[in-house]
Amino acid sequence: MRSLIIGAAGFVGGYLIRELSAAGQEVHATHLPNETVNVPCSTHVLDIMVQDDITALLKEVEPDVIYHLAAQSSVAVSWKKPQLTAQVNVIGAINVFEGIRASGLDKVRTVVIGSGEQYGFIRPDTCPLDEDEPLHPGNIYAATKACQESIGMIYSRSYGMDMIFVRAFNHSGPGQSDMFVISDFCRQIADIEAGNRENVMRVGNLSAKRDFTDVRDVVRAYRLLGGSGKKGKVYNVGRGKAVPISYILETAVSMAKTDIRVETDPAKMRASDIPIIEPDVSEIFNDAGWEARITLEQTIADTLGYWRDKV
Ligand code: A2R
């Protein structure tokens, strides 16, 4: 089995390369010219804004499964750079879909990575959210991912393309950028322990409830969906148990080796924040036998360990 990961230089890409390689697959991975892929596999430079390059690469590699990960993946950045976010996440995705058609690989399974953020402004009583729940994106990143999915769905239905649509809920683990909450808290703790800053944690909205899964579980879900997901179907990928951000904070602070004070930082508050996002994950369990295995506490401990080594 030969897999191609488009956009593999990011946080998830390295883990997905390891997961697919460990399962005995031949892995090809793309990265932007200014990026590197640090996990052994066949690498290719690719900017998804250039559709002809996508077509040429697909003809060269002839993968059995394509994973489309390339994205502007940060909600926070999407508020500051809405045009860039839409260009990469929507036009870039269309370029990938068109590239697949143009290369004659339209029957090749493509796993399109979207986000749990797509559900957006939901009523708390609709949680856990199943895949039929209407989407009301609450931020620009989420809107672009919803758009990627609805356009992908049109390609799948109109051209018979073998596409799987993932709505991945929050995932975290060692190596994630500190723009994301678990990594942010763990980095601040590691910095405080190392004496690089005063004993104060700066935090945003602590009451929002989110569903966190370890990245190592998430890439296992992607591999399984690449094999046994059903054509044209949408799958939530998450733990199925949302927790308040305050729980993450308390858990992380309880692992600190020093006393820490907590202060609210207005700069970490979002222009619009949704009180709870929690998925129903029965579809992926039923079709692919997947459920999260790694505890949230383990993910926090491992992420803290990563930052302790790094700072
Ligand atoms: O933005 P950069 O320089 O970090 O590069 C990101 C890359 N990327 C692109 N690749 C090809 N052509 C482009 N025009 C382009 N623009 C950005 O996609 C980065 O290396 C990769 C995405 O990795 P991360 O931002 O670290 O996201 P992560 O956590 O690996 O998530 C993977 C997927 C994304 O679709 C997320 O929206 C979803 O999972 O949660």
Side-chain angles (χ1 to χ4, degrees), residues 59-70:
K59 283 183 174 162
E60 180 193 330
V61 174
E62 292 189 335
D64 301 301
V65 183
I66 300 164
Y67 295 91
H68 175 43
L69 260 58

Side-chain angles (χ1 to χ4, degrees), residues 64-268:
D64 301 301
V65 183
I66 300 164
Y67 295 91
H68 175 43
L69 260 58
Q72 190 303 95
S73 66
S74 158
V75 174
V77 171
S78 79
W79 290 115
K80 293 179 194 127
K81 298 185 176 177
Q83 295 93 337
L84 173 82
T85 306
Q87 257 153 12
V88 176
N89 296 3
V90 181
I91 306 298
I94 295 173
N95 286 340
V96 170
F97 304 152
E98 284 292 328
I100 293 169
R101 289 188 66 216
S103 62
L105 294 177
D106 48 332
K107 297 294 177 277
V108 168
R109 166 145 299 188
T110 304
V111 182
V112 179
I113 309 302
S115 169
E117 290 272 349
Q118 289 171 220
Y119 291 103
F121 289 116
I122 49 150
R123 289 198 327 272
D125 62 0
T126 56
C127 285
L129 302 156
D130 67 33
E131 288 85 348
D132 292 331
E133 189 65 28
L135 305 179
H136 302 290
N139 60 64
I140 290 156
Y141 165 77
T144 63
K145 286 290 183 169
C147 191
Q148 165 185 263
E149 183 187 289
S150 45
I151 293 174
M153 201 66 86
I154 290 163
Y155 276 81
S156 177
R157 288 199 184 123
S158 305
Y159 303 124
M161 289 165 72
D162 183 359
M163 297 167 102
I164 302 275
F165 302 96
V166 168
R167 292 181 192 152
F169 286 70
N170 300 63
H171 39 288
S172 201
Q176 190 174 33
S177 150
D178 61 358
M179 286 191 301
F180 297 85
V181 66
I182 291 182
S183 221
D184 177 23
F185 290 172
C186 291
R187 189 202 170 135
Q188 291 191 55
I189 291 172
D191 269 335
I192 291 168
E193 287 175 350
N196 295 342
R197 55 182 288 165
E198 53 170 349
N199 281 29
V200 182
M201 290 269 291
R202 303 205 192 279
V203 302
N205 178 3
L206 292 178
S207 64
K209 288 181 159 184
R210 294 291 183 271
D211 184 271
F212 291 91
T213 306
D214 194 285
V215 63
R216 293 160 285 196
D217 273 331
V218 168
V219 294
R220 188 168 51 84
Y222 295 174
R223 175 175 62 78
L224 293 171
L225 288 174
S228 49
K230 298 218 168 91
K231 180 176 168 178
K233 212 166 144 174
V234 177
Y235 291 95
N236 288 337
V237 171
R239 186 182 299 279
K241 178 89 189 78
V243 296
I245 304 300
S246 57
Y247 177 77
I248 309 264
L249 178 67
E250 284 154 20
T251 307
V253 167
S254 75
M255 294 174 185
K257 294 173 185 159
T258 173
D259 282 343
I260 288 176
R261 207 170 74 237
V262 174
E263 265 179 21
T264 303
D265 179 353
K268 289 185 191 278

Side-chain angles (χ1 to χ4, degrees), residues 20-63:
L20 299 175
S21 302
Q25 298 191 21
E26 176 187 329
V27 182
H28 292 254
T30 80
H31 60 92
L32 285 168
N34 58 338
E35 297 178 315
T36 49
V37 171
N38 296 319
V39 182
C41 70
S42 301
T43 57
H44 309 263
V45 172
L46 182 72
D47 184 336
I48 59 167
M49 299 320 294
V50 188
Q51 196 214 301
D52 288 347
D53 289 355
I54 303 173
T55 309
L57 179 69
L58 288 168
K59 283 183 174 162
E60 180 193 330
V61 174
E62 292 189 335

